[in-house]
Amino acid sequence: MNNTKKFSVCLAVLLLSCFMVFGTATANTLTVGSDSGDVGYTATLPITMSLDQGVEVGGVAFTLGYDPDIFEFVGLEQETKAISDASEYYTTTTGEAGTYTGYTAEVVGDTLFYQANDLADPDGNKFGRVAVAAASARALTGTRLFKAKFRIKGGDGTYPIELLKTIIENPDAGYDAPTFIPVLVGMPAAYSNAQGYYPTPVYTASLEGGSITVHAPEYTISGSVTYQGGTQANGSVVELQKPMAAAGGYWYVDETTVRNGTYSFTEPAGSYRLVVHPYDPMYLEATSDPFDLTATNVTVDFTLASGAERKNGTVTVNGQVLRGVRVKVFDADGNLVGIYPVNDQGYFETQPLAPGDYTYYAVYGNQE
């Protein structure tokens, strides 16, 4: 069996075709390293393999877990063994199916061929999961497989890079339900068995994740908050929020109280927005446009619009005005806001009321 044939069988096993495999329990370990840097830096994490004595591995499969709000997966980089996604050997002609060229026994034997799929939804939002599968025609030697690279987009502190088993659900390959696939695949036998398969061992492995520490410079988000008319909106609460990458919407980061008409936050670079909750209920909540905090401080000022409104209406009984009727007004919590008289035309009007829902009762004497 030549090297090209061995590679084809190994890759097929790794990518879940129909070759027979059998499990073997061994003390193998797959490990992701750690790195650190500032926002904008591309972190490089070595992925290493430690094998039990006598174990020969031709392929690996695993999933890298990361926070897509903090990092962007850049790709895999060569370590001690040449790596390739096979794109340089794939040629196409308009109107024809693609074909592989350039596969020599030497190239195949000296190269670790891989796929790295940064999973995303149909809109391109990343899940923070990179499914990696790699195979070689010859047993992998040395402990360093390749390097995983992540660009730091934001954040501050240490974040895990998980190393997980890959889950497959592919009815065409016989996996009707989600199934964990082997982490380590051995070398196929030199000869097929009676069923025409090349028996290939699979091995268990301990998975040890790594981390990236972000040293983020911090900048100031500040501004003034006043009510319409110029009065300082002291006591109002300014809430800082960040967008959620995949789910949409925003999540809470921090809050502060307006004092002397101003507020301030000190935060690392990233995307944010602000929401002001007025202390005076007669004024409306305000939300800023989203903005990026990058290499400079940001100022966002607010003028809160008045939301107070006088409520009015007409009270009649069977179409007739009844003298002496009053209107009781209650807020959404059932608290009495005020009692207002009805004039000779049945008309009433309240004092300015804060935004919200109210309930009205017509009262005549002791009756409602």
Side-chain angles (χ1 to χ4, degrees), residues 334-346:
N335 300 311
L336 179 63
V337 174
I339 302 175
Y340 304 95
V342 174
N343 66 16
D344 291 343
Q345 286 75 45

Side-chain angles (χ1 to χ4, degrees), residues 22-195:
F22 57 92
T24 303
T26 53
N28 307 304
T29 304
L30 206 62
T31 304
V32 176
S34 298
D35 198 0
S36 63
D38 299 333
V39 174
Y41 170 75
T42 298
T44 301
L45 282 65
I47 299 177
T48 59
M49 178 176 63
S50 175
L51 300 178
D52 201 3
Q53 185 175 1
V55 172
E56 287 190 332
V57 168
V60 296
F62 56 86
T63 294
L64 295 169
Y66 69 96
D67 186 340
D69 288 326
I70 306 299
F71 305 113
E72 175 189 355
F73 176 67
V74 176
L76 299 180
E77 187 176 89
Q78 177 177 330
E79 266 283 9
T80 55
K81 189 177 182 69
I83 65 172
S84 172
D85 63 0
S87 59
E88 65 266 42
Y89 303 110
Y90 188 73
T91 60
T92 60
T93 304
T94 303
E96 297 180 4
T99 58
Y100 286 99
T101 60
Y103 277 141
T104 65
E106 182 178 359
V107 167
V108 170
D110 291 339
T111 303
L112 178 61
F113 291 89
Y114 74 91
Q115 293 179 352
N117 186 8
D118 194 5
L119 304 176
D121 67 17
D123 295 325
N125 298 309
K126 302 297 184 182
F127 293 140
R129 293 289 185 269
V130 182
V132 178
S136 174
R138 296 173 185 161
L140 298 173
T141 59
T143 61
R144 301 172 77 91
L145 294 176
F146 27 57
K147 304 170 186 174
K149 307 188 75 172
F150 294 89
R151 186 180 69 84
I152 300 175
K153 300 193 300 181
D156 186 22
T158 299
Y159 300 86
I161 301 298
E162 299 174 291
L163 189 57
L164 310 166
K165 290 183 178 180
T166 296
I167 300 176
I168 185 74
E169 184 176 5
N170 184 353
D172 292 338
Y175 294 88
D176 295 324
T179 304
F180 288 109
I181 64 174
V183 176
L184 301 178
V185 177
M187 300 301 296
Y191 301 97
S192 63
N193 59 18
Q195 289 75 37

Side-chain angles (χ1 to χ4, degrees), residues 327-330 335-340 351 353:
V327 174
K328 283 186 176 181
V329 180
F330 295 85
N335 300 311
L336 179 63
V337 174
I339 302 175
Y340 304 95
Q351 66 189 31
L353 300 178

